[in-house]
Amino acid sequence: KKMVDPTLAEMGKNLNEAMKMLEDNQRKVEEENEKKYARKDIPGPLQGSGQDMVSILQLVQNLMHGEEEEETSQSYRLQNVGEQGHMALLGHSLAAYISVLDRERLRKLTTRILSDTTLWLCRLFRYENGSAYYHEDDREGLLKICRLVIHTRYEDYTLEGFNVLYAKQPVIYISSAARTGLGQALCNQLGLPLSCMCRVPCNTMFGSQHQMDVALLDRVIKDDVESGKLPLLLVANAGTPGAGHTDKLGRLKELCEQYNMWLHVEGVNLATLALGYVSSSVLAATKCDSMTLTLGSWLGLPAVPAVTLYRHEDPSLSLAAGLTSSQPVEKLRALPLWLSLQYLGHDGIVERIKHASQLSQRLLENLKNLDFIKTSVEDELSSPVVVFKFFQEYSNRDQTSHAVQTSTIQHPMINNERHIYDTFNQWLGEQLAQLVPASGVDVVELEDEGTCVRFSPLMTSAVLGTEIQDIDQLVDCLKMKIPVLTSTLQLREEFEQEVRRTVGLLYIEDLGWPGLGVVRYNYHCDGKNDGNQEKELEKINTELLKKLNELESDLTFSLGPEFGGQKNCVYIGMVTEDLDVAELVETIAATGREIEENSRLLENMTEVVRKGIQEAQLQLQKANEERLLEEGLLRQIPVVGSVLNWFSPFQASPKGRTFNLTAGSLESTESMYVSKAQGTGTTPPPTPTSSLAKQRLPGQKAFKRSFRSSDGFSETSSISHCDDLDKMDQRPPTISLGQEQGPLEMEKAEEQEEAAQAKTDTEDIHSDKLPPACTKVEDQASQR
């Protein structure tokens, strides 16, 4: 039985309990996100009595999984911390514990940890006789290397400082494909002007467009030497940040030896040095003067430092540059990596890097069999980074018509096409990352290729746990999205032409919208100012968007992006090949006209009703005055009027006013009391049905072509079918006995009904005018 330090055992136990608590609470995040912030989460004063470990860990868990984070982002952005991750986290706890040891024990322990880790890394990545510098920021190692080279090349730099640099200005060369802001960060930290940084362009004619142009670099260095400058250091890439290409390290090393320059290499492809088979371009990195390794992302280790391996013979200069330290605590930075490397072992490290390379090869092989997908890889046999994009050649374009155009016309067309492809590839990358989050694909902007989708498993697979089935799922999703992209790209121009030909619609050119296009219903009103017209335009297009979304279709209609989009427009998303563009545009125009007509009808009706009410008030006031004159003054006295009305009742027909909304006129209600048939008004016309509602098959959605790409219908059969329908429409209607009559008989029946109605009305009116005595006589005669 091995003896274990009780403090170390307690530390490991506490770490396991803390990690278990955090992981268990992570599963309850979705339930807790529905709740609001509790009072205890609000920052307050430090408690005097202190808190226990469980409460503190609960607070950490609440801060880690805040309510403002999205559930979708948590599902794939949080790293799954495995056993090897626990070892790395344990290293930080151990470093704090080891730092309290006595100085002699601390020195021996840190020296052993540092020497073991450096030896393992140099053997693993084939870097012989190297030293190591461990740092948190991946740019810090290059910064210390620059200081080392400055101390080496300027012997009096320690004494005179910037004066020696002013006498002979140093120059640092970096590739134009390097990380953004790297040169400026180095100059700021070193206290050098930006003129000391030289960006070397990449190849334009021969070789990869992401590799540094060696011939051009040679000429630039010669010019700098002739002008009295000192070439100091060259930063090369073994896997550019964008496309993952490797510079010609062998030729660059020869050039650096010629001009006594330092060669530093960085990039993701350096991880392949641990494999059995390494490409010659990457293998040349073992001869460089220094290289930076980011083992945390390659192996999926959290909170482990980056490592810069370098070769230098003078320890004093390394100490002056900050690459080594006399403080033992500084050497404890390697402890998390020391523990993790022992846990994984040589085979485990190689297996993780090999698995990432196999994932990239699996994706690359599948992409070769897909149409409209263009890949950009340096080596098809072994390329850790795969960059691809959607690209379709216009085969139906008339090349002769474009040949006669001037370059001033062709140049905007080329820029527009590239902008459209960038937009579509941006949408494609976002869709793939959302559908297959375990793949780790992202969108990258390249100078020559434009917007592309990048798959770099060395940077993501160990963290996300990417497997072969995730790559197969990614390819399946890509196969589903390619027909949508091709259809949308082909129908985009047709949609633009249809909109421009349609009256009332305005085509809005938005090259940054990934979809069919953008349209606006154009509303014109001469009687309104610009402010009211803008409000009316917004109202109509908003209602138009609502109406379109209510239709049963596969299309997506929206107001566009949240930022940078056009106002008062309808944005149409991706479409399929069976879309009927003409019907879509016609429906949008008809719906917009209907909304505009209803809006104008409501405005006109409001104005007419207002005027009718005013006119009715005037007429009723005039009728009241006339009634007062007919009744006389005596009938208006309260008591006298009642007695007079009892002895001699005054009969006056009630008079009111009705407003005809159809005719927009004010009419009297006297005829309603005279005639018994009060419903003799004209029947309002029936609501016309839309001419756009074409006959559809059961289950067929809107804007779909019925017989497109169908084997059961040909042009001949469809034409004959239409002819049969026309013949059926031309047949005379069949007459059913007892139900329908001929036109002459119907006219006679209508005349008889009108005559009977007129006779009835005449008798009713005549009976109303007869005196009471005559009415009694007629009643007696009828009884007899």
Side-chain angles (χ1 to χ4, degrees):
K1 185 177 179 180
K2 297 182 180 180
M3 299 297 294
V4 181
D5 188 346
T7 306
L8 294 178
E10 184 69 19
M11 186 182 304
K13 180 181 177 181
N14 292 338
L15 178 64
N16 291 332
E17 292 179 355
M19 293 301 301
K20 183 179 179 181
M21 181 181 299
L22 294 177
E23 291 174 354
D24 292 341
N25 290 333
Q26 182 178 350
R27 302 186 186 99
K28 303 177 182 179
V29 170
E30 295 183 359
E31 300 177 359
E32 295 181 358
N33 280 341
E34 299 177 358
K35 303 178 181 179
K36 295 183 177 180
Y37 279 112
R39 180 70 181 176
K40 61 183 180 180
D41 294 332
I42 302 176
L46 182 63
Q47 297 184 9
S49 59
Q51 301 184 35
D52 56 358
M53 181 179 178
V54 178
S55 302
I56 297 175
L57 289 178
Q58 183 65 35
L59 176 61
V60 174
Q61 189 269 336
N62 294 337
L63 296 176
M64 288 173 57
H65 309 285
E67 297 180 71
E68 71 278 0
E69 296 181 0
E70 299 180 357
E71 297 180 2
T72 57
S73 63
Q74 290 179 359
S75 60
Y76 64 90
R77 288 185 180 179
L78 289 181
Q79 177 178 348
N80 296 324
V81 181
E83 291 293 333
Q84 74 280 358
H86 288 184
M87 296 301 298
L89 299 179
L90 180 62
H92 292 275
S93 302
L94 285 176
Y97 173 67
I98 293 174
S99 63
V100 301
L101 298 177
D102 60 272
R103 189 173 184 83
E104 185 62 24
R105 288 186 179 183
L106 180 61
R107 185 187 62 81
K108 292 181 179 180
L109 182 57
T110 54
T111 302
R112 172 65 183 274
I113 292 173
L114 191 63
S115 60
D116 287 350
T117 309
T118 303
L119 178 63
W120 296 338
L121 292 177
C122 289
R123 289 182 177 179
L124 187 64
F125 294 98
R126 309 185 184 192
Y127 197 80
E128 299 177 357
N129 301 324
S131 301
Y133 172 67
Y134 302 89
H135 47 91
E136 302 297 334
D137 188 359
D138 54 359
R139 297 177 299 184
E140 186 179 355
L142 177 58
L143 175 63
K144 297 298 178 65
I145 290 296
C146 292
R147 290 177 177 171
L148 174 62
V149 179
I150 291 176
H151 280 280
T152 303
R153 298 298 303 274
Y154 295 92
E155 297 179 357
D156 298 334
Y157 179 75
T158 306
L159 299 176
E160 299 184 9
F162 69 92
N163 290 327
V164 295
L165 301 180
Y166 179 78
K168 199 169 187 179
Q169 180 178 344
V171 182
I172 301 175
Y173 303 90
I174 63 174
S175 173
S176 59
R179 288 179 291 173
T180 304
L182 178 61
Q184 184 176 2
L186 291 177
C187 290
N188 293 338
Q189 294 295 326
L190 296 173
L192 299 177
L194 292 179
S195 58
C196 294
M197 191 63 55
C198 178
R199 294 180 61 88
V200 182
C202 295
N203 296 324
T204 56
M205 298 296 295
F206 304 100
S208 172
Q209 296 180 349
H210 302 280
Q211 292 180 348
M212 191 184 304
D213 193 340
V214 181
L216 180 59
L217 174 63
D218 189 9
R219 293 195 297 267
V220 172
I221 295 176
K222 288 181 180 179
D223 295 340
D224 291 338
V225 172
E226 294 177 356
S227 60
K229 298 180 180 179
L230 178 63
L232 195 67
L233 182 139
L234 172 63
V235 182
N237 292 303
T240 55
H245 290 204
T246 303
D247 291 327
K248 299 176 181 179
L249 301 179
R251 296 184 56 187
L252 293 177
K253 179 58 179 176
E254 296 176 357
L255 198 62
C256 290
E257 292 178 351
Q258 178 181 352
Y259 293 99
N260 195 18
M261 294 172 55
W262 186 284
L263 178 60
H264 179 82
V265 180
E266 60 181 16
V268 67
N269 292 349
L270 292 175
T272 59
L273 290 173
L275 302 178
Y277 169 78
V278 186
S279 62
S280 59
S281 59
V282 180
L283 189 60
T286 58
K287 305 299 181 182
C288 65
D289 298 304
S290 60
M291 64 169 65
T292 298
L293 309 176
T294 55
L295 299 173
S297 57
W298 298 350
L299 304 178
L301 302 176
V304 297
V307 184
T308 297
L309 302 178
Y310 65 96
R311 295 189 185 97
H312 199 265
E313 298 177 354
D314 193 345
S316 61
L317 295 181
S318 300
L319 181 62
L323 289 170
T324 58
S325 176
S326 59
Q327 299 294 328
V329 179
E330 294 292 333
K331 300 179 182 180
L332 288 176
R333 291 180 180 177
L335 182 57
L337 194 57
W338 184 72
L339 295 175
S340 301
L341 292 179
Q342 291 186 88
Y343 182 84
L344 291 174
H346 183 275
D347 296 338
I349 296 172
V350 174
E351 183 62 28
R352 286 175 177 259
I353 298 175
K354 183 179 180 181
H355 175 68
S357 301
Q358 290 175 351
L359 293 177
S360 61
Q361 291 302 311
R362 180 65 172 265
L363 178 61
L364 184 59
E365 292 174 359
N366 291 324
L367 292 179
K368 293 179 182 178
N369 301 325
L370 297 180
D371 296 331
F372 311 115
I373 293 297
K374 183 179 179 182
T375 59
S376 175
V377 294
E378 181 182 12
D379 186 4
E380 295 185 357
L381 297 178
S382 60
S383 180
V385 181
V386 179
V387 176
F388 62 93
K389 63 179 295 186
F390 166 76
F391 185 77
Q392 181 183 9
E393 293 287 350
Y394 286 94
S395 58
N396 56 351
R397 176 172 295 178
D398 188 5
Q399 301 294 339
T400 58
S401 61
H402 287 269
V404 298
Q405 296 179 356
T406 60
S407 58
T408 58
I409 300 179
Q410 288 182 353
H411 187 65
M413 180 65 67
I414 295 174
N415 291 338
N416 290 345
E417 289 181 4
R418 175 167 179 174
H419 200 165
I420 293 175
Y421 277 115
D422 290 346
T423 303
F424 276 43
N425 283 284
Q426 177 79 23
W427 177 85
L428 177 62
E430 294 174 353
Q431 289 292 313
L432 294 178
Q434 182 179 1
L435 295 175
V436 192
S439 64
V441 295
D442 60 348
V443 180
V444 62
E445 297 285 343
L446 301 180
E447 183 177 357
D448 297 317
E449 289 84 355
T451 304
C452 299
V453 183
R454 178 180 57 186
F455 176 64
S456 181
L458 281 172
M459 301 297 294
T460 59
S461 63
V463 176
L464 301 177
T466 311
E467 299 294 339
I468 295 295
Q469 54 267 25
D470 297 325
I471 303 303
D472 297 338
Q473 183 182 358
L474 179 67
V475 175
D476 294 339
C477 294
L478 186 59
K479 291 180 181 178
M480 295 173 56
K481 297 300 179 182
I482 289 177
V484 177
L485 291 170
T486 55
S487 302
T488 306
L489 189 61
Q490 291 174 357
L491 297 176
R492 192 179 177 107
E493 186 175 355
E494 180 182 353
F495 175 76
E496 178 181 356
Q497 295 175 358
E498 286 289 341
V499 172
R500 295 189 185 278
R501 287 197 297 261
T502 305
V503 179
L505 296 182
L506 180 63
Y507 180 80
I508 305 298
E509 186 175 10
D510 190 352
L511 301 178
W513 172 248
L516 185 63
V518 186
V519 64
R520 174 189 296 163
Y521 184 81
N522 210 5
Y523 174 80
H524 296 287
C525 184
D526 299 335
K528 296 183 178 181
N529 54 21
D530 295 339
N532 294 335
Q533 185 173 352
E534 185 72 18
K535 294 180 180 179
E536 192 67 24
L537 180 64
E538 180 182 359
K539 179 181 178 181
I540 292 178
N541 283 276
T542 303
E543 185 67 21
L544 175 61
L545 177 63
K546 180 180 178 181
K547 293 286 186 182
L548 292 176
N549 284 323
E550 292 176 355
L551 299 177
E552 295 183 0
S553 66
D554 295 331
L555 302 182
T556 56
F557 303 94
S558 63
L559 294 175
E562 184 177 0
F563 302 102
Q566 298 287 338
K567 294 183 179 180
N568 305 328
C569 296
V570 176
Y571 285 75
I572 305 174
M574 294 290 178
V575 299
T576 54
E577 61 177 355
D578 57 351
L579 175 68
D580 194 340
V581 178
E583 181 190 357
L584 172 62
V585 176
E586 188 178 358
T587 302
I588 295 175
T591 308
R593 286 193 296 268
E594 181 182 356
I595 296 173
E596 182 181 0
E597 291 174 359
N598 293 339
S599 177
R600 290 183 176 179
L601 177 62
L602 183 60
E603 293 180 358
N604 296 336
M605 186 181 299
T606 304
E607 183 66 20
V608 171
V609 170
R610 185 181 63 81
K611 293 182 179 179
I613 292 175
Q614 294 177 356
E615 184 179 356
Q617 291 176 349
L618 295 177
Q619 292 185 9
L620 290 177
Q621 184 179 1
K622 183 177 180 181
N624 289 333
E625 295 175 356
E626 293 178 354
R627 185 176 61 83
L628 292 177
L629 294 177
E630 293 178 0
E631 293 179 355
L633 182 61
L634 294 178
R635 294 182 184 272
Q636 309 304 322
I637 302 175
V639 179
V640 178
S642 300
V643 175
L644 185 61
N645 288 331
W646 184 76
F647 282 104
S648 176
F650 181 79
Q651 296 181 356
S653 60
K655 296 181 181 181
R657 297 294 184 269
T658 61
F659 187 74
N660 192 343
L661 294 178
T662 305
S665 60
L666 196 66
E667 301 176 355
S668 176
T669 59
E670 188 175 359
S671 59
M672 298 176 60
Y673 297 97
V674 174
S675 176
K676 294 182 179 180
Q678 299 181 2
T680 59
T682 58
T683 304
T687 303
T689 59
S690 176
S691 61
L692 300 174
K694 69 178 186 179
Q695 196 173 11
R696 303 189 184 280
L697 298 175
Q700 182 181 1
K701 296 186 178 181
F703 315 127
K704 297 290 185 181
R705 294 179 181 174
S706 301
F707 306 117
R708 181 172 181 176
S709 301
S710 178
D711 298 335
F713 294 91
S714 61
E715 292 187 11
T716 307
S717 62
S718 61
I719 293 174
S720 62
H721 179 69
C722 296
D723 294 340
D724 294 341
L725 293 177
D726 295 339
K727 292 178 181 179
M728 293 178 64
D729 295 339
Q730 294 175 2
R731 293 178 183 175
T734 58
I735 300 177
S736 176
L737 295 177
Q739 294 181 355
E740 297 184 3
Q741 298 177 351
L744 296 177
E745 295 178 0
M746 293 178 63
E747 292 180 0
K748 291 180 180 181
E750 292 176 358
E751 292 178 357
Q752 292 176 3
E753 292 178 0
E754 291 177 0
Q757 183 69 26
K759 182 177 180 181
T760 304
D761 296 340
T762 305
E763 291 176 356
D764 293 339
I765 297 174
H766 183 67
S767 62
D768 293 339
K769 293 181 179 180
L770 290 176
C774 296
T775 304
K776 293 180 179 180
V777 173
E778 290 182 358
D779 293 339
Q780 294 176 1
S782 62
Q783 292 177 2
R784 294 176 183 174

